[in-house]
Amino acid sequence: MLGSVAAIDNKSGASRGRIDEVLENATGERRLYCHSEERAHKEEGIANRFEASLARLHQGLSRPRTAKGLDHVWRSIGRISERSRGIAQHYDVAVASDPETGKATAVTWERKTVAGTMLTHPGVFCLRTNVIDWDQETLWRTYTMLTDLEFVFRSLKSELGLRPVYHQTQGRTDGHLFITVLAYQMVQTIRRRLRQHGETSSWATLRRILAGQQRVTATFRRKDGGTLHVRKATLAEPAQLKIYSALGLDPQPGKTSRMIV
């Protein structure tokens, strides 16, 4: 039985979409087919990048001093497929070769979509549950909460260094865990403020962007024989300025310091 269509709003950053609800009378289960335009564009972009990679491989076969052995070409196709996030299953890829030299001459492909996948239903994912007394909004919020919790543990273990724990005493171990959880709360506060200004990048991406700005020290020789050390921050780039503006921070952290030795 097909249910109503409703609007959803993913607080974790996904765009507003629609929900098609199906109720299985035999099992009493509900399936919510959630559609996101943002996800659809992302999936189509994955397919476009896969085809573009194959096109570059094909074009390279016409250039001199390019490896054209069949084994090499098929290994390249394999690496492209590994990076395709499953999109390769929708393509039949073939390599033509010269019968005399045995070298590859062309890479061709044909899209053959697999039913019930991202290409036949772009931007759609299914939430399946046996809870029938919750409305669609509650089910969706619960799902996004679970994904947020998964992100919490992944962030704690990787980006914030919760694991591994090298301490050998209980007190130091407890302190390590406490500092990690405290750091996560600070990270979430920063990301929440950034989301309010349309910035939804991961913490790893934010760190990579901000890492481009550093404090540098320039050294000058004075006429009197002394040495002048000037230390200041580099100018913030546009992406960094956007983050600083959203957080209300000075884009030139730290003062210019001068020291004569």
Side-chain angles (χ1 to χ4, degrees):
M1 180 179 68
L2 179 64
S4 60
V5 178
I8 60 177
D9 183 19
N10 187 345
K11 292 297 185 182
S12 61
S15 60
R16 181 174 292 271
R18 69 173 186 272
I19 296 179
D20 295 332
E21 179 177 340
V22 176
L23 176 62
E24 294 287 350
N25 295 323
T27 62
E29 293 183 340
R30 300 167 67 191
R31 295 200 306 272
L32 303 182
Y33 292 95
C34 308
H35 178 269
S36 169
E37 291 293 340
E38 181 179 340
R39 184 177 180 135
H41 289 311
K42 180 178 180 180
E43 292 173 352
E44 184 62 28
I46 294 174
N48 292 338
R49 287 192 294 273
F50 178 74
E51 294 186 9
S53 298
L54 293 177
R56 286 193 296 270
L57 182 62
H58 169 73
Q59 294 168 2
L61 297 177
S62 62
R63 293 193 289 266
R65 297 186 298 276
T66 301
K68 302 179 178 64
L70 284 177
D71 290 343
H72 175 82
V73 173
W74 278 114
R75 284 196 298 269
S76 298
I77 293 173
R79 288 192 292 268
I80 294 172
S81 299
E82 290 176 357
R83 299 192 301 265
S84 68
R85 300 187 181 183
I87 205 68
Q89 65 177 318
H90 301 283
Y91 291 85
D92 287 338
V93 182
V95 179
S97 61
D98 188 329
E100 296 183 359
T101 63
K103 294 183 177 181
T105 58
V107 176
T108 58
W109 60 91
E110 181 181 0
R111 181 184 289 196
K112 293 185 177 180
T113 57
V114 179
T117 59
M118 65 172 69
L119 289 187
T120 57
H121 298 81
V124 176
F125 56 98
C126 178
L127 303 183
R128 182 179 176 183
T129 179
N130 59 359
V131 179
I132 61 175
D133 56 344
W134 289 6
D135 57 25
Q136 294 179 356
E137 182 73 11
T138 302
L139 286 172
W140 175 254
R141 298 300 180 195
T142 303
Y143 165 73
T144 55
M145 180 185 67
L146 291 175
T147 58
D148 285 343
L149 288 175
E150 292 174 356
F151 172 79
V152 168
F153 288 108
R154 185 166 60 250
S155 178
L156 285 172
K157 292 178 180 179
S158 58
E159 298 172 342
L160 300 179
L162 177 63
R163 301 286 184 175
V165 177
Y166 297 104
H167 305 293
Q168 299 181 4
T169 63
Q170 183 66 37
R172 292 184 177 182
T173 300
D174 291 344
H176 175 86
L177 299 179
F178 174 77
I179 292 175
T180 304
V181 173
L182 184 63
Y184 178 76
Q185 296 297 330
M186 295 179 64
V187 168
Q188 287 299 90
T189 300
I190 292 172
R191 295 192 65 202
R192 187 177 297 109
R193 292 186 61 179
L194 290 175
R195 280 198 296 269
Q196 294 173 354
H197 292 80
E199 177 59 66
T200 59
S201 299
S202 66
W203 182 245
T205 300
L206 293 172
R207 289 177 59 188
R208 178 179 55 80
I209 293 174
L210 294 176
Q213 186 180 30
Q214 301 178 356
R215 285 185 63 81
V216 297
T217 301
T219 302
F220 305 92
R221 180 69 63 183
R222 292 165 52 93
K223 293 182 179 180
D224 59 4
T227 302
L228 173 64
H229 300 280
V230 180
R231 184 168 178 82
K232 63 182 299 184
T234 58
L235 294 177
E237 298 178 352
Q240 298 164 346
L241 287 173
K242 180 180 179 182
I243 296 175
Y244 289 140
S245 177
L247 297 176
L249 299 177
D250 185 356
Q252 292 297 116
K255 298 180 180 180
T256 300
S257 62
R258 295 176 173 83
M259 182 176 63
I260 300 176
V261 179

